[in-house]
Amino acid sequence: MTEFATRVENVSISGIREVFEAAGDEAINLGIGQPDFPTPAHARRAAVEAIESGQTDAYTSNKGIPQLREAIAAKYDRDYGIEVDPGNTIATSGGSEALHLALEAHVDPNQEVIFPDPGFVSYDALTRIAGGTPKPVSLRDDLTLDPAAVEDAITEETAVFIVNSPANPTGAVQSEADMREFARIADEHDVLCISDEVYEHIVFEGEHHSPLKFAETDNVVVVSACSKTYSMTGWRLGWLVGSGDRIDRMLRVHQYAQACASAPAQFAAEAALTGPQEPVAEMVGAFEERRDVVVDGLEDAGLEVPTPSGAFYAMPKVPEGWCDEVLDRGVVAVPGEAFGSNGEGYARLSYATGMEELKAALEIIDSATAAVR
């Protein structure tokens, strides 16, 4: 009998999904990272019009339709003053595929990939699937990633380090000074920096900065998506930005694994990027209001929680047994260890749900916290 590949045996089902399966149907779900807002109407309409006019019946270019790649390039100029050649972008099936392509194209067996711990669950798993060696790095007390810790972790075997800001699961936003340092590290050590910027527009304090703006070499690749900014998680539309050589190598993986991103989603994404941005501002304003309510509620329950500056997650320190207790009482929260060994003693809560549900969950959390202390 053919045995299973080691790269698959070395990964398991996400701990986030395990929590979902243990929850009852009536549970208040603070575990899922999915905005509860509709996709903007103009983006949906663009997909419908493209379908009805027959523009989505065939494969698109492997990289994506030209007008979407032009919209992606224009977005970086408009938002950050970064000049991007539309030819140096690839439309992907969500940010998840973009991250997978970046690692597959740059990591040889046993090469190291440095990433934050706690950090997004895919960093460890996709590193293993690429045959690489995960090298998690602990965070500062405010849950940001310290450039000095990344630089100290680099060895001759390091291929990649990953930066994520605003971050999942912590909600932390890296400073401009940090991003300049990450760019310097990539340049000086000739190591690729993958910058995961999927939550780039969901920022409450400060500003989003990309190491792409500060790098003097081509050692930065950016991963982003429409998923969170435009509440388009189900559309599965992300992208990569990098130098021509790096895009060429990532495209080689993409064209055989995926061929092209969904055509209807590409037309929707173009409309989202080029159309009215008011829905984004409204959503971010709502998330900030919810953030304040959640942080206050957690602190009132006696929990210590760094105030998140972006995304839509809070990561409080919790007593032993806390996640099980709140789950038993009907609230889904993800144990911190699902995001790495340094996440032990924390829990991740998503406030991408309605205010009334959040308030009800916080009442349950207050009583559950008292019960486990």
Side-chain angles (χ1 to χ4, degrees):
M1 175 182 170
T2 301
E3 297 297 326
F4 298 110
T6 302
R7 63 179 173 274
V8 175
E9 293 296 272
N10 283 343
V11 299
S12 58
I13 298 298
S14 164
I16 300 173
R17 294 296 165 186
E18 292 178 354
V19 173
F20 291 165
E21 292 174 4
D25 292 339
E26 302 302 316
I28 301 173
N29 193 339
L30 304 187
I32 193 164
Q34 176 169 288
D36 62 327
F37 293 85
T39 298
H42 59 278
R44 288 185 283 174
R45 188 164 54 249
V48 171
E49 291 174 357
I51 291 169
E52 291 180 340
S53 64
Q55 297 181 79
T56 62
D57 294 347
Y59 294 121
T60 73
S61 161
N62 291 139
K63 286 185 176 181
I65 58 175
Q67 56 266 48
L68 171 57
R69 288 184 279 126
E70 289 166 5
I72 292 169
K75 163 212 152 24
Y76 283 92
D77 185 24
R78 177 185 71 228
D79 294 344
Y80 310 119
I82 301 174
E83 185 175 342
V84 171
D85 184 333
N88 290 345
T89 66
I90 303 174
T92 63
S93 295
S96 297
E97 194 215 355
L99 181 62
H100 180 53
L101 299 181
L103 290 169
E104 288 290 338
H106 293 98
V107 179
D108 272 328
N110 302 317
Q111 286 190 311
E112 297 170 346
V113 176
I114 297 168
F115 52 81
D117 179 5
F120 182 43
V121 293
S122 291
Y123 300 153
D124 185 285
L126 290 179
T127 295
R128 295 178 189 275
I129 289 171
T133 301
K135 196 166 187 181
V137 171
S138 59
L139 305 179
R140 297 167 171 142
D141 289 343
D142 65 356
L143 302 184
T144 58
L145 181 63
D146 186 350
V150 170
E151 191 163 27
D152 287 345
I154 291 174
T155 72
E156 292 183 357
E157 301 304 317
T158 303
V160 171
F161 67 91
I162 300 175
V163 177
N164 177 210
S165 178
N168 175 8
T170 65
V173 174
Q174 301 287 152
S175 68
E176 178 180 349
D178 283 347
M179 289 305 200
R180 287 183 180 275
E181 276 294 281
F182 290 131
R184 179 194 63 77
I185 291 167
D187 290 340
E188 291 187 7
H189 291 270
D190 198 21
V191 170
L192 181 68
C193 171
I194 297 177
S195 184
D196 180 350
E197 303 179 12
V198 168
Y199 295 88
E200 60 182 302
H201 289 294
I202 307 176
V203 178
F204 314 130
E205 278 88 38
E207 296 179 27
H208 170 69
H209 297 279
S210 174
L212 185 66
K213 185 173 184 177
F214 308 119
E216 297 179 359
T217 66
D218 76 341
N219 286 337
V220 174
V221 165
V222 172
V223 169
S224 196
C226 287
S227 300
K228 314 299 181 176
T229 298
Y230 298 103
S231 194
M232 292 175 65
T233 54
W235 293 82
R236 308 314 303 136
L237 198 291
W239 60 81
L240 287 157
V241 174
S243 70
D245 285 345
R246 296 194 186 282
I247 288 293
D248 175 72
R249 271 58 172 193
M250 292 185 286
L251 186 65
R252 296 179 193 183
V253 183
H254 174 66
Q255 67 180 358
Y256 291 114
Q258 189 66 28
C260 63
S262 161
Q266 291 187 52
F267 284 94
E270 181 214 349
L273 289 167
T274 60
Q277 301 300 299
E278 287 82 3
V280 179
E282 292 170 6
M283 186 170 65
V284 173
F287 286 146
E288 184 173 7
E289 183 180 0
R290 295 175 190 180
R291 186 273 312 257
D292 293 341
V293 169
V294 167
V295 170
D296 287 346
L298 294 173
E299 290 178 342
D300 288 346
L303 298 173
E304 179 184 342
V305 54
T307 300
S309 296
F312 38 69
Y313 306 108
M315 203 163 190
K317 290 183 178 180
V318 297
E320 185 176 354
W322 186 90
C323 288
D324 289 337
E325 185 68 26
V326 297
L327 183 61
D328 289 344
R329 293 168 183 252
V331 173
V332 178
V334 183
E337 55 265 33
F339 304 97
S341 60
N342 289 328
E344 185 174 359
Y346 290 86
R348 190 196 75 171
L349 283 69
S350 167
Y351 43 89
T353 190
M355 185 68 83
E356 294 307 311
E357 283 189 304
L358 286 174
K359 289 179 178 178
L362 289 167
E363 290 183 8
I364 294 171
I365 285 171
D366 184 64
S367 60
T369 303
V372 296
R373 283 199 156 145

